[in-house]
């Protein structure tokens, strides 16, 4: 079970911050990470998230993590489709159904009402500035943070058009530090992502992998992206059939971008402990594979227990040297 730590509680030892990285459906691994940390007695007072990390982080800060975990583990791909609302402007998915679901089932709150200190990252589309969201509606802040370009439509907040924070700070260690964290545990979901769709996999077989499921998902919504991406599933005359689909190119390109940005940011702003689940086998929209991702998250924490115990030994009951 996950026990909340109130924002105004006084705890001995260093202030622990948790930076939950972006990664779409791979973000369910955060649930496994948090479960394993709780078993170890590690309770972060500060939680910062980007994209799916913001979604999971908000649930933890609200005291709804166990409820979110149960819901995610029960998801089927048909449930995922039911939460997607088609848009033909700004992105393929409006995201309104997802946030309405979040507000109904996990209770939207103001940041000041959360059990723990929480913030998330978004990107201002016009200027490219990194935006830290720490006030107002948590649900709306999360919606801005998850607005993956090309997939989710941007959201207007305080006069600024915002998109996914993964464009500028996929693993927000710097935000944790700015909020007062003395020790930061970072969860990077993209450590083994680059080239995963083609790693020992013939191009013609890529469509049968998890990204192929994404193609079927959008076809079910009437937005088949094969061939010329005209929404009818037709092929361009003379097109090279060996080329990957539009969705595979789009998601792979976003993965490359965010992995490179994350590596650069983490090199300049390193965490005290970095947890890196192995998630290359889980596709961008594979939200129905939560159980697999959660197992990988728990395994990643287990492999890092010596480093965690060494770094947090004086702060974690039972781990003193």
């Amino acid at each position: 079970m996950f026990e909340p730590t109130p924002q105004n509680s006084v705890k001995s030892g260093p202030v622990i911050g948790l930076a939950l990285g972006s990664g779409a459906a791979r973000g369910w691994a955060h649930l496994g990470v948090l479960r394993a940390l709780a078993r170890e007695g590690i309770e972060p007072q500060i939680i910062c998230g980007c994209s799916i990390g913001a979604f999971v982080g908000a649930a933890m800060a609200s005291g709804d993590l166990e409820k979110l975990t149960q819901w995610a583990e029960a998801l089927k791909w048909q449930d995922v489709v039911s939460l997607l609302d088609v848009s033909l402007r700004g992105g393929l998915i409006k995201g309104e159904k997802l946030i309405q679901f979040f507000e109904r089932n996990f209770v939207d709150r103001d940041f000041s009402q959360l059990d723990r200190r929480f913030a998330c990252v978004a990107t201002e589309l016009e200027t490219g500035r990194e935006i830290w969201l720490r006030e107002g509606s948590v649900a709306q802040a999360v919606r801005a943070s998850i607005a993956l370009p090309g997939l989710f439509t941007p959201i207007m907040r305080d006069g600024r058009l915002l998109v996914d924070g993964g464009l500028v700070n996929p693993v927000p260690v710097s935000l944790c530090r700015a909020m007062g964290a003395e020790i930061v545990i970072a969860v990077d979901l993209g450590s083994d992502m680059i080239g995963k769709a083609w790693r020992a996999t013939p191009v013609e077989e890529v469509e049968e992998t998890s990204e192929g499921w994404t193609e079927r998902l959008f076809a079910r919504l009437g937005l088949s992206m094969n061939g010329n991406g005209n929404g009818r599933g037709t092929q361009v005359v003379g097109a090279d059939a060996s080329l990957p689909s539009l969705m595979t190119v789009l998601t792979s390109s976003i993965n490359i971008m965010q992995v490179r940005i994350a590596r650069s940011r983490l090199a300049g702003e390193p965490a005290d402990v970095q947890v890196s689940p192995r998630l290359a086998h889980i596709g961008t929209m594979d939200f129905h594979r939560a159980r697999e991702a959660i197992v990988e998250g728990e395994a990643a924490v287990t492999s890092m227990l010596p480093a965690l115990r060494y770094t947090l030994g004086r702060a974690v009951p039972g781990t003193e040297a």
Side-chain angles (χ1 to χ4, degrees):
M1 296 294 290
F2 303 99
E3 296 297 333
T5 301
Q7 293 199 49
N8 59 357
S9 65
V10 177
K11 291 179 69 67
S12 60
V15 177
I16 301 171
L18 186 63
L20 302 178
S22 62
R26 291 178 284 276
W28 291 145
H30 289 315
L31 298 171
V33 168
L34 293 169
R35 179 181 288 171
L37 290 177
R39 281 201 300 263
E40 190 65 16
I42 300 172
E43 295 187 14
Q45 296 98 313
I46 296 171
I47 306 165
C48 296
C50 179
S51 197
I52 187 66
F55 190 91
V56 174
M60 183 179 188
S62 300
D64 290 325
L65 196 58
E66 200 64 46
K67 184 177 181 182
L68 176 61
T69 302
Q70 293 172 4
W71 173 73
E73 289 181 325
L75 271 180
K76 298 179 174 58
W77 78 268
Q78 294 93 336
D79 301 318
V80 179
V81 173
S82 72
L83 290 173
L84 303 183
D85 38 10
V86 176
S87 170
L88 297 179
R89 188 176 181 86
L92 294 176
I93 303 166
K94 294 179 185 177
E96 293 175 1
K97 284 186 178 180
L98 181 63
I99 291 303
Q100 287 170 3
F101 175 87
F102 184 87
E103 291 174 339
R104 285 196 310 270
N105 292 274
F106 299 102
V107 186
D108 186 23
R109 301 183 188 180
D110 188 273
F111 277 82
S112 63
Q113 299 174 317
L114 297 175
D115 296 328
R116 305 175 193 241
R117 282 178 278 169
F118 170 71
C120 57
V121 180
T123 305
E124 186 175 11
L125 189 60
E126 183 178 358
T127 65
R129 291 172 53 208
E130 179 178 339
I131 305 297
W132 293 350
L133 303 173
R134 295 182 283 184
E135 298 178 343
S137 164
V138 172
Q140 289 303 309
V142 169
R143 172 63 182 85
S145 189
I146 67 172
L148 193 65
L151 293 180
F152 284 92
T153 58
I155 186 170
M156 186 67 71
R157 182 181 170 94
D158 298 328
R160 297 179 295 204
L161 196 60
L162 303 180
V163 294
D164 196 305
L167 296 178
V168 290
N169 197 357
V171 188
V173 172
S174 57
L175 180 51
C176 279
R177 302 277 190 208
M179 292 182 66
E182 297 168 299
I183 292 177
V184 176
I185 302 168
V187 185
D188 178 16
L189 304 178
S191 62
D192 64 339
M193 286 306 304
I194 292 181
K196 67 98 179 179
W198 287 272
R199 190 178 299 135
T201 304
V203 172
E204 61 270 18
E205 293 181 14
V206 170
E207 300 309 320
E208 298 306 318
T209 65
S210 54
E211 296 301 347
W213 177 86
T214 306
E215 295 292 340
R216 296 194 294 275
L217 183 154
F218 282 104
R220 185 181 177 95
L221 294 174
L223 289 170
S224 177
M225 290 297 167
N226 292 317
N228 60 1
N230 63 4
R232 301 176 185 274
T234 57
Q235 298 291 328
V236 178
V237 175
D240 188 345
S242 67
L243 292 175
S245 69
L246 185 151
M247 282 304 303
T248 298
V249 171
L250 176 62
T251 55
S252 296
S253 298
I254 291 173
N255 287 337
I256 291 170
M257 174 192 67
Q258 294 197 348
V259 167
R260 294 300 187 191
I261 295 170
R263 288 178 182 175
S264 177
R265 293 295 299 256
L266 288 170
E269 303 158 350
D272 295 283
V273 180
Q274 183 171 318
V275 177
S276 302
R278 310 298 288 179
L279 300 163
H281 59 290
I282 296 180
T284 302
M285 298 295 288
D286 284 352
F287 290 98
H288 61 301
R289 299 174 67 183
R291 292 181 185 275
E292 296 173 62
I294 289 170
V295 167
E296 293 295 339
E298 291 185 270
V301 171
T302 299
S303 68
M304 293 301 295
L305 280 180
L308 284 164
R309 287 170 175 165
Y310 178 81
T311 303
L312 301 171
R314 295 183 179 177
V316 182
T319 64
E320 291 84 356

